[in-house]
Amino acid sequence: MNGAKIILESLKKEKVNILFGIGGGSVIPLFDEIHKDKDIKFILTRHEQAAAHMADGFSRATGKVGVCVATSGPGATNLVTGLATAYMDSIPMVALTGQVATHLVGNDAFQEADTTGITRPVTKHNYLVTDVKDLAATIKEAFYLARTGRPGPVLIDLPVDIQRDSCKFSYPEKANIKGYKPKTGGHIKQIKEAAKLINSSKRPVVYAGGGVIISKASNELRAFASKGKLPVTTTLMGTGSFPADSELSLSMLGMHGTYYANNAVQNSDLIIAVGARFDDRVTGRVKDFAKGAKVIHIDIDPTSISKIIKADVPIVGDARAVLKKLVKHIEFKERKDWHKQIAKWKSKQPLIYKKDNKLRPQYVIEQLYKATKGNAVITTEVGQHQMWAEQFYKYNEPNTFLTSGGLGTMGYGFPAAIGAKFGKPKKTVINIAGDGSFQMNIQELATCVVNDINVINVVLNNNYLGMVRQWQELFYDKRYSQVCLGKSHKERVPDFARVAEAYGAKGISVCKKKDVMPAIKEALKYKSGPVVMDFIIEEEENVYPMVPAGAAIDEVLIDMA
Amino acid sequence: MKHTISVQVENKFGVLARISGLFSARGYNIDSLAVGETEDPDISRITIVVHGDESVLEQVTKQLNKLPDVIKVKDFLKSNIVKRDLILIKVFADKKVRAEIVEIAAIFRAKIVDVAKESITIEVTGNEDKVVAFIDLVKPYKIKEIVRTGIIAIERGEK
């Protein structure tokens, strides 16, 4: 069997049935086998970065390993942003890249790049296959690494002659990597220690991150929180891991988190971190973060524990496995005073925005929530719209809010939505975008149109790179440097609805508040391909609350709405 | 605080780049680094001397452990170990001073490995203190070149 066929047969053993990518000179043998194959669907994208984000979105929506393919050189370098995005958010992915023939490697050949060298810091692991006999075992290892422990992207670089060479195909049962044995169970002594702290805590807060979603621990988290009557705040990555409509929910914490989540954390006596890593957008000024609190930190990755905040009780393990054990050891406690205090914070400063006749982004998202009854899969780009999408759409289920949390990649949302739609074809998938971000992968409208992919893009068009403009307004005296995207305040560029129509997609422009709901309904009804909704929103709307960079998370700016 | 960390790794290409990349990406300082095959040809050992406070060192060892190609990491801070550094040092030495230098070498049980008209090359092995002391003593004769292996270390056998 030739190498190219071995690759496809190995992918099938890993239950892969869809690939996203673009070919090129050094993957032609592989593409020839794809042409002959009947089981694996190939989605031809218009940019490799988008292919990586599609694999990522597919993975986040389904929990399966997404796979993307690119050729050598520029094909591989175009994947880098997508790999880094997945790496920062611990998303299981496998990337296959072509490489020049083994005898040319290192010779500066045409379309040669040191792909393993370039991607080393943005992958969990990577491989250059130099013998076709190693191919099957390498693929086995790559998938095993991608989906176990703290998941992440793994890249396999495949010289073109390896794809042509032949050997007998046998797929190994198990991957055996001497230096890789992730601990998943959690140490029982530590778990009991944690339970003791929880049971004696008067003001506990659960701080849940993306790890809860990755380990499929949402049910366990619910059971844990309700047994201990523990308030839960989620990170951007943890959005959906705990139902937003639960009375125990504090929503998001950190820079654009709620007033009540940040106050609860700052005044707590115990933080129970589950699958989270105390990112700087969460902690604000570290030395003033939750000063009076002890910390229990549950994470599969030992390097995340005590990296930023020293853990009093570190527990290395899978969030689901650990919560399952921990819940048995905790007692029901009313903690009446604490919940009374939290209720006070909630009523003092709920999430608000100005309710007038102007078309405001928060209103659009609220209507979107109403129209979809909260049942859509939402993806986002990065910036103001991303924060509003987190704040004003309510997520009650995991894997329904897909966003680039760690790397903050503009251009992520649209391709991720396409990937998610392939993973969950029955779901309504909506990309909430800004006018800046959407243009970073707008070319994928072609991919959608060609494949009849019904994804809705909600562009909150404020004529600005809005988040940077907000910082310039608040901290740089309104010196708006290089953030206006239009020709003037009256002439926004481009006309997204017309761009959409040119691609053969449906385009809808909305300028007035009263037109929002009818337009959303029209978009939801449309099933023949992608939709672009261009909402001409207020230019200078800000995201609040906001904790300025470097401040403590209770030093918060609140909008005077 | 200086730590000597011994890292067992898969003997594959790219492993050293993974480790040095980890140190540079995370801003850890390497004082010295030595690599070589072990008794098992599939496994190499990398000895790294690194400085930093306890929390930095905790991260260094955890991050190293996280690499799939790393089999075992040991911080030798509290272990009973033998440490050795080997240097080759070329010193200006004409007829007049050659005997003096040879005498110093003898005291340090160093080996003369090459003698030329104007210079003498000496091999010194020992722990860091010894090597530094030797360098200090020959400095006045003017050093032409120094090559060091970097520290290697091994745990003492059980007594």
Side-chain angles (χ1 to χ4, degrees):
Chain A
M1 193 184 286
N2 71 21
K5 181 118 173 98
I6 290 174
I7 295 167
L8 292 187
E9 293 308 315
S10 303
L11 291 176
K12 286 179 203 171
K13 294 275 185 192
E14 297 293 340
K15 299 189 174 63
V16 174
N17 52 22
I18 187 164
L19 306 174
F20 304 92
I22 308 184
S26 60
V27 279
I28 288 187
L30 176 61
F31 277 58
D32 194 49
E33 288 303 325
I34 290 169
H35 184 75
K36 294 176 201 159
D37 195 276
K38 288 189 181 65
D39 303 322
I40 294 185
K41 190 171 181 167
F42 194 95
I43 303 304
L44 176 64
T45 65
R46 296 297 178 270
H47 194 295
E48 288 89 350
Q49 184 195 348
H53 293 326
M54 284 181 207
D56 172 311
F58 177 87
S59 172
R60 291 191 208 217
T62 61
K64 296 177 193 163
V65 181
V67 183
C68 58
V69 185
T71 192
S72 61
T77 55
N78 273 348
L79 288 181
V80 170
T81 303
L83 292 169
T85 304
Y87 185 60
M88 284 289 266
D89 290 345
S90 313
I91 304 305
M93 244 171 76
V94 169
L96 305 173
T97 50
Q99 183 54 279
V100 299
T102 42
H103 71 277
L104 289 174
V105 168
N107 279 322
D108 303 318
F110 177 65
Q111 292 197 327
E112 182 186 357
D114 175 11
T115 302
T116 48
I118 290 168
T119 60
R120 194 176 296 125
V122 295
T123 52
K124 183 170 173 182
H125 200 58
N126 62 19
Y127 298 89
L128 170 66
V129 180
T130 52
D131 186 336
V132 70
K133 289 192 212 83
D134 299 335
L135 194 47
T138 302
I139 296 172
K140 179 80 204 175
E141 275 188 25
F143 275 85
Y144 175 65
L145 281 171
R147 66 162 73 97
T148 55
R150 178 178 179 175
V154 179
L155 179 140
I156 310 174
D157 205 18
L158 301 157
V160 66
D161 52 327
I162 301 298
Q163 299 168 43
R164 282 191 224 108
D165 289 352
S166 290
C167 73
K168 202 174 149 276
F169 174 63
S170 85
Y171 202 64
E173 294 269 302
K174 271 173 100 178
N176 187 17
I177 307 166
K178 259 185 246 157
Y180 181 77
K181 306 272 184 289
K183 290 193 185 97
T184 56
H187 200 291
I188 191 68
K189 203 180 120 218
Q190 295 292 90
I191 290 172
K192 284 184 177 163
E193 191 64 36
K196 220 189 275 172
L197 276 183
I198 295 167
N199 291 335
S200 63
S201 163
K202 291 198 165 63
R203 299 184 309 280
V205 174
V206 178
Y207 152 52
V212 175
I213 295 173
I214 294 166
S215 76
K216 302 181 173 70
S218 288
N219 288 334
E220 287 71 15
L221 179 63
R222 286 172 207 209
F224 172 66
S226 67
K227 185 172 179 193
K229 232 183 162 203
L230 307 164
V232 179
T233 178
T234 45
T235 66
L236 186 66
M237 292 304 301
T239 301
S241 65
F242 191 75
D245 62 11
S246 159
E247 58 172 5
L248 290 171
S249 170
L250 300 168
S251 300
M252 186 169 72
L253 78 166
M255 184 173 271
H256 292 296
T258 60
Y259 173 80
Y260 37 97
N262 285 339
N263 269 285
V265 165
Q266 289 298 71
N267 292 286
S268 65
D269 64 2
L270 178 67
I271 289 178
I272 306 144
V274 191
R277 59 184 175 85
F278 295 93
D279 178 83
D280 55 280
R281 287 297 190 264
V282 160
T283 60
R285 189 165 63 239
V286 172
K287 77 176 174 55
D288 293 320
F289 179 79
K291 275 180 175 166
K294 294 215 155 168
V295 174
I296 297 167
H297 197 165
I298 302 164
D299 205 290
I300 190 106
D301 178 4
T303 68
S304 285
I305 296 176
S306 296
K307 182 175 68 178
I308 312 284
I309 301 282
K310 182 105 186 123
D312 298 284
V313 182
I315 304 176
V316 177
D318 173 70
R320 183 159 176 236
V322 172
L323 285 177
K324 258 187 183 166
K325 291 178 192 164
L326 184 57
V327 73
K328 290 184 197 152
H329 298 279
I330 63 167
E331 299 155 5
F332 178 78
K333 288 264 159 82
E334 280 287 351
R335 305 186 221 270
K336 268 190 189 154
D337 292 343
W338 183 224
H339 287 286
K340 215 192 267 171
Q341 176 61 58
I342 288 170
K344 264 190 212 161
W345 286 321
K346 279 187 179 178
S347 65
K348 191 181 167 205
Q349 289 289 350
L351 281 175
I352 43 164
Y353 65 95
K354 206 166 187 176
K355 299 209 167 134
D356 53 13
N357 278 328
K358 291 185 172 155
L359 179 48
R360 295 191 188 271
Q362 301 93 331
Y363 175 79
V364 176
I365 292 168
E366 275 182 353
Q367 299 309 302
L368 208 56
Y369 175 67
K370 269 189 203 156
T372 57
K373 300 183 182 76
N375 284 323
V377 172
I378 303 289
T379 69
T380 79
E381 309 284 346
V382 169
Q384 289 184 309
H385 67 273
Q386 179 189 28
M387 295 297 110
W388 290 318
E390 199 285 335
Q391 292 174 333
F392 292 94
Y393 197 99
K394 303 292 164 209
Y395 305 88
N396 292 320
E397 295 296 330
N399 308 92
T400 59
F401 180 68
L402 320 183
T403 196
S404 168
L407 196 69
T409 307
M410 292 169 73
Y412 169 80
F414 182 29
I418 300 170
K421 186 71 184 177
F422 277 110
K424 294 269 161 137
K426 285 181 189 146
K427 281 267 188 183
T428 300
V429 180
I430 301 172
N431 171 37
I432 296 178
D435 45 325
S437 299
F438 186 49
Q439 291 184 71
M440 290 202 180
N441 269 317
I442 194 166
Q443 76 286 345
E444 297 310 315
L445 279 169
T447 310
C448 276
V449 169
V450 168
N451 292 287
D452 290 322
I453 299 305
N454 184 214
V455 167
I456 300 170
N457 291 282
V458 169
V459 181
L460 300 172
N461 183 347
N462 58 6
N463 203 25
Y464 275 114
L465 295 167
M467 188 58 98
V468 179
R469 188 209 54 73
Q470 175 171 342
W471 283 50
Q472 290 174 346
E473 177 191 331
L474 298 174
F475 313 117
Y476 291 85
D477 249 349
K478 287 201 175 184
R479 289 188 297 280
Y480 292 165
S481 176
Q482 311 307 321
V483 287
C484 185
L485 294 170
K487 221 169 169 183
S488 70
H489 293 288
K490 292 226 170 87
E491 204 178 331
R492 299 188 185 185
V493 176
D495 179 333
F496 285 105
R498 285 179 64 198
V499 172
E501 299 287 342
Y503 271 107
K506 184 173 182 60
I508 306 173
S509 287
V510 183
C511 305
K512 294 195 178 113
K513 191 174 178 182
K514 67 172 175 52
D515 298 332
V516 169
M517 200 49 151
I520 290 172
K521 282 185 178 156
E522 187 189 347
L524 288 171
K525 237 185 266 160
Y526 185 77
K527 298 287 176 209
S528 330
V531 183
V532 178
M533 306 184 75
D534 188 14
F535 290 93
I536 308 296
I537 59 163
E538 277 300 289
E539 286 197 341
E540 301 201 8
E541 188 72 27
N542 284 340
V543 179
Y544 290 113
M546 178 178 193
V547 177
I553 59 168
D554 47 5
E555 295 167 13
V556 62
L557 304 173
I558 306 278
D559 186 23
M560 300 302 146
Chain B
M1 185 76 159
K2 267 193 186 181
H3 291 243
T4 308
I5 300 172
S6 177
V7 190
Q8 270 183 48
V9 299
E10 301 266 5
N11 189 4
K12 290 182 186 164
F13 67 83
V15 175
L16 187 59
R18 284 182 206 284
I19 289 180
S20 60
L22 188 157
F23 277 75
S24 64
R26 294 191 182 268
Y28 309 137
N29 285 314
I30 299 179
D31 291 332
S32 79
L33 184 148
V35 196
E37 248 181 39
T38 61
E39 66 284 357
D40 178 347
D42 290 336
I43 296 174
S44 293
R45 190 184 298 274
I46 303 181
T47 309
I48 307 169
V49 178
V50 54
H51 63 267
D53 61 24
E54 225 172 277
S55 64
V56 169
L57 260 295
E58 187 184 326
Q59 270 296 313
V60 170
T61 47
K62 281 176 171 180
Q63 294 286 358
L64 284 168
N65 265 313
K66 196 171 155 180
L67 297 173
D69 282 342
V70 168
I71 298 162
K72 206 173 167 187
V73 180
K74 191 146 196 195
D75 184 346
F76 278 156
L77 189 65
K78 286 178 189 139
S79 313
N80 192 5
I81 54 168
V82 182
K83 275 202 273 191
R84 287 294 179 267
D85 196 358
L86 183 148
I87 66 165
L88 294 172
I89 181 165
K90 197 184 285 167
V91 185
F92 280 102
D94 53 17
K95 256 193 257 162
K96 276 186 265 165
V97 294
R98 192 177 290 146
E100 287 174 39
I101 295 171
V102 170
E103 199 176 315
I104 296 171
I107 295 165
F108 278 80
R109 284 186 219 157
K111 268 193 231 158
I112 312 294
V113 289
D114 184 55
V115 181
K117 242 194 254 165
E118 295 274 303
S119 70
I120 183 163
T121 303
I122 308 150
E123 173 194 320
V124 191
T125 312
N127 61 25
E128 232 187 341
D129 295 346
K130 174 179 165 184
V131 169
V132 170
F134 182 82
I135 293 171
D136 281 346
L137 277 175
V138 294
K139 232 181 224 162
Y141 301 100
K142 274 183 92 186
I143 295 166
K144 269 184 102 170
E145 240 182 310
I146 296 181
V147 180
R148 300 177 76 145
T149 57
I151 297 225
I152 55 168
I154 195 165
E155 279 179 299
R156 289 181 190 275
E158 273 175 52
K159 293 222 168 103

